[in-house]
Amino acid sequence: MADGTFVNDAALVAAKDLRLELRSRVAVSQVVPFAVLLLVIFGFALDGDQTTLQRLTSGLYWVAVLFAAVLIVQRAFAVESDDGVRDALRLAGMRPASVFVGKAGAIFVQLIVLEVLLGVGVAVFFGTTLTGWGLLIASAVVAAAGISAAGTLYGVLTAGLRVKESLLPMLLLPVLAPVLIGATRAMGAALGDVAVDGWSWFNFLAIFALIYVALGLFAFGPLLEES
Amino acid sequence: MTDTTTNPPGAGMGAPTRSGDDPRNTASKGTRVFGILSLIGIGWLVALGLGLSPDDQTQGDLVRLMYVHVPSAWLAYLSFGVTAMGSIMYLWKRSEWWDLVAASSAEIGVLFTGLALVTGMIWGRPTWGSYWEWGDARLVTTLVLFLMFLGYLAVRRIPADTHVRSRRSAIVALIAVVDIPLVHFSVKWWRTLHQEATVLSSDFDPKIDDLMLFTLMVGLVVFTLVYVWFMLHRFRVAWLEEQLLDHSLADAIEARRAEAVGTGATT
């Protein structure tokens, strides 16, 4: 198969997933409100104190992103496991690697939208002034890439299992610990909360994303086969 | 004792061993040797660690915890290394044998990782003044490792076909192992970029008493023996479980066939 088909297949899968999300509106009506709710809960838990919330913005922001990401990943596979879409994709002769890129791509797009909305959320609820836009955006993009690659791997693994609701976060969150640390640091540096070199954390996040994309390309085939 | 030593890799469990004289336990001559050596070694380690070795000048009796803590940590990493190797070999060779090696090793690994964490925290309380120290990359990494392998064991417990379960868990183990250096690096960098010197650099005196070093070495050797001993037994149990699954199905089919023949139907 030529490389054109690879990209094409991936784009088809991603477009399919995004279309499903657009039409079902679950992401808009449940995941986003949940993420915003998390910000509000942090506000309650931390005494509604704006200075504390501003100081902790980067950490709270990324915790909210991670928890919402678990839901997005679960959604991405739940919508298809009932109809046997995974088998259909295999029957259609698509290579597992391109299915992986497609699924991860759709999750990535949703994460980016979520990150933007949560960015507005922290600006509104915590009163945080967003600065250092270059680093902020770049690190958010690579972190989303890492989360979606690792999430896609675990998503297909737990899809269709009865215990998936508890198993997915248990597997995914420890693995994403480096992303949480790196993204929090990078955002903290961009906002000027911590005096660290944010761009080196950007590099770290990029390496994480690359490793997990590579792992996904390699391991998605065997995982897809198993249903 | 019957001499039906179950030798998993080669012989497998043929029909004769199942009927009548099935093995009472998973021991064989080899494991008994390992067991006796382990027990003698543990006795020796207790004598050395609690009695013969001297107090540390700064840490006092606390240093004795090291003779359990360091070997446990070593076993934690050894066993997860074996799990990673077993998983890679499974994905390559597709042999149940390797999958069971990975599974057995992971179980022992979780046990010793827990032990390493607990002893580390008990040591940390009087030394650092707190049970937990976020600045210690090894400690935090070990905790994340522990959590990831709890996840691995959870994945293994999901009912599925043998080969589905094996493949699934092999990939989970692989992802976890790839993540470990990333976690370690990020934690290390996270804290060192933040606060300069931590109390933890004085974790171990470079100048260590001869007898203390010797005791530590004995600890490492004894714990490794214990690991091998546990591994042999755990693996054999896992192997027998697999055999039981296979045979009970075969037996059921056999019984069904016999029934069909008995009623005169053709098979």
Side-chain angles (χ1 to χ4, degrees):
Chain A
M1 262 191 276
D3 273 349
T5 7
F6 181 90
V7 177
N8 208 17
D9 286 356
L12 277 174
V13 173
K16 168 191 78 72
D17 278 14
L18 289 174
R19 202 153 48 232
L20 267 173
E21 278 314 322
L22 273 180
R23 293 196 184 149
S24 72
R25 295 212 177 79
V26 171
V28 181
S29 66
Q30 288 177 16
V31 178
V32 170
F34 171 73
V36 174
L37 180 65
L38 280 174
L39 295 184
V40 176
I41 282 176
F42 293 146
F44 291 146
L46 297 173
D47 243 7
D49 178 17
Q50 290 255 340
T51 43
T52 311
L53 289 169
Q54 279 162 26
R55 193 166 51 81
L56 300 176
T57 294
S58 50
L60 300 177
Y61 174 88
W62 281 105
V63 169
V65 170
L66 274 199
F67 284 177
V70 172
L71 293 185
I72 292 178
V73 169
Q74 221 151 47
R75 281 280 309 155
F77 290 93
V79 285
E80 10 185 84
S81 65
D82 292 342
D83 300 326
V85 176
R86 283 198 293 165
D87 292 340
L89 288 174
R90 280 173 61 210
L91 280 174
M94 285 184 171
R95 278 185 297 183
S98 56
V99 177
F100 169 77
V101 174
K103 303 252 11 148
I107 294 173
F108 174 77
V109 172
Q110 294 174 58
L111 277 176
I112 294 289
V113 173
L114 182 82
E115 285 175 353
V116 171
L117 293 173
L118 278 176
V120 176
V122 293
V124 171
F125 290 117
F126 301 171
T128 309
T129 323
L130 298 177
T131 50
W133 285 99
L135 179 60
L136 210 57
I137 293 169
S139 59
V141 168
V142 285
I147 295 172
S148 50
T152 309
L153 266 177
Y154 281 121
V156 72
L157 199 95
T158 52
L161 299 177
R162 267 177 301 138
V163 288
K164 61 177 176 297
E165 288 85 0
S166 50
L167 190 62
L168 179 67
M170 184 188 176
L171 291 174
L172 186 57
L173 292 177
V175 165
L176 290 181
V179 175
L180 181 61
I181 291 175
T184 306
R185 286 276 115 172
M187 187 173 183
L191 299 180
D193 292 335
V194 282
V196 297
D197 179 15
W199 283 105
S200 49
W201 282 109
F202 163 82
N203 292 337
F204 174 78
L205 290 169
I207 290 169
F208 183 95
L210 279 178
I211 289 175
Y212 275 87
V213 168
L215 255 181
L217 293 176
F218 156 77
F220 205 69
L223 287 175
L224 201 61
E225 268 172 43
E226 74 184 18
S227 53
Chain B
M1 201 61 233
T2 54
D3 60 339
T4 51
T5 49
T6 47
N7 199 2
M13 292 277 296
T17 28
R18 279 187 310 113
S19 63
D21 58 349
D22 47 355
R24 288 271 205 40
N25 56 38
T26 53
S28 65
K29 230 175 221 158
T31 59
R32 287 204 187 91
V33 171
F34 269 111
I36 290 165
L37 282 178
S38 305
L39 291 176
I40 293 172
I42 289 172
W44 200 26
L45 181 65
V46 169
L48 274 169
L50 292 181
L52 297 174
S53 70
D55 286 357
D56 187 71
Q57 281 170 350
T58 50
Q59 295 183 20
D61 276 335
L62 264 181
V63 75
R64 302 182 194 280
L65 211 49
M66 282 292 137
Y67 307 136
V68 180
H69 175 71
V70 175
S72 304
W74 147 245
L75 279 200
Y77 283 88
L78 171 73
S79 46
F80 291 135
V82 170
T83 298
M85 192 189 68
S87 304
I88 292 170
M89 289 304 287
Y90 173 78
L91 289 175
W92 183 24
K93 300 276 188 196
R94 296 288 156 127
S95 135
E96 277 324 306
W97 196 86
W98 281 112
D99 178 56
L100 295 179
V101 167
S104 312
S105 190
E107 269 183 29
I108 301 170
V110 166
L111 171 71
F112 281 100
T113 313
L115 197 60
L117 283 170
V118 170
T119 51
M121 287 194 286
I122 294 173
W123 180 84
R125 176 71 180 145
T127 315
W128 303 330
S130 64
Y131 286 110
W132 195 258
E133 187 58 60
W134 286 102
D136 190 74
R138 272 173 303 176
L139 195 60
V140 179
T141 309
T142 308
L143 178 65
V144 176
L145 181 72
F146 182 68
L147 293 172
M148 286 199 291
F149 274 89
L150 282 183
Y152 172 83
L153 292 182
V155 167
R156 291 206 70 93
R157 274 196 298 274
I158 298 168
D161 282 351
T162 311
H163 66 279
V164 170
R165 189 197 60 193
S166 308
R167 191 163 42 196
R168 194 187 275 161
S169 34
I171 288 171
V172 171
L174 221 56
I175 298 174
V177 166
V178 169
D179 205 51
I180 285 304
L182 291 168
V183 174
H184 186 86
F185 178 75
S186 63
V187 173
K188 208 173 160 179
W189 213 25
W190 172 42
R191 296 323 295 184
T192 49
L193 280 182
H194 192 56
Q195 57 190 53
E196 276 310 309
T198 49
V199 270
L200 316 157
S201 43
S202 60
D203 209 6
F204 243 131
D205 257 332
K207 275 189 68 189
I208 183 166
D209 185 274
D210 280 348
L211 192 56
M212 288 160 101
L213 189 65
F214 179 69
T215 309
L216 191 59
M217 289 303 152
V218 170
L220 289 172
V221 172
V222 168
F223 271 60
T224 311
L225 276 176
V226 171
Y227 171 77
V228 176
W229 186 32
F230 279 12
M231 237 344 241
L232 285 167
H233 280 289
R234 184 65 192 90
F235 176 81
R236 284 174 183 178
V237 170
W239 182 264
L240 289 172
E241 278 172 356
E242 285 303 303
Q243 296 299 311
L244 181 67
L245 275 179
D246 288 356
H247 283 295
S248 61
L249 183 65
D251 283 356
I253 293 171
E254 197 75 14
R256 186 73 193 79
R257 283 233 176 91
E259 224 172 77
V261 172
T263 56
T266 49
T267 43

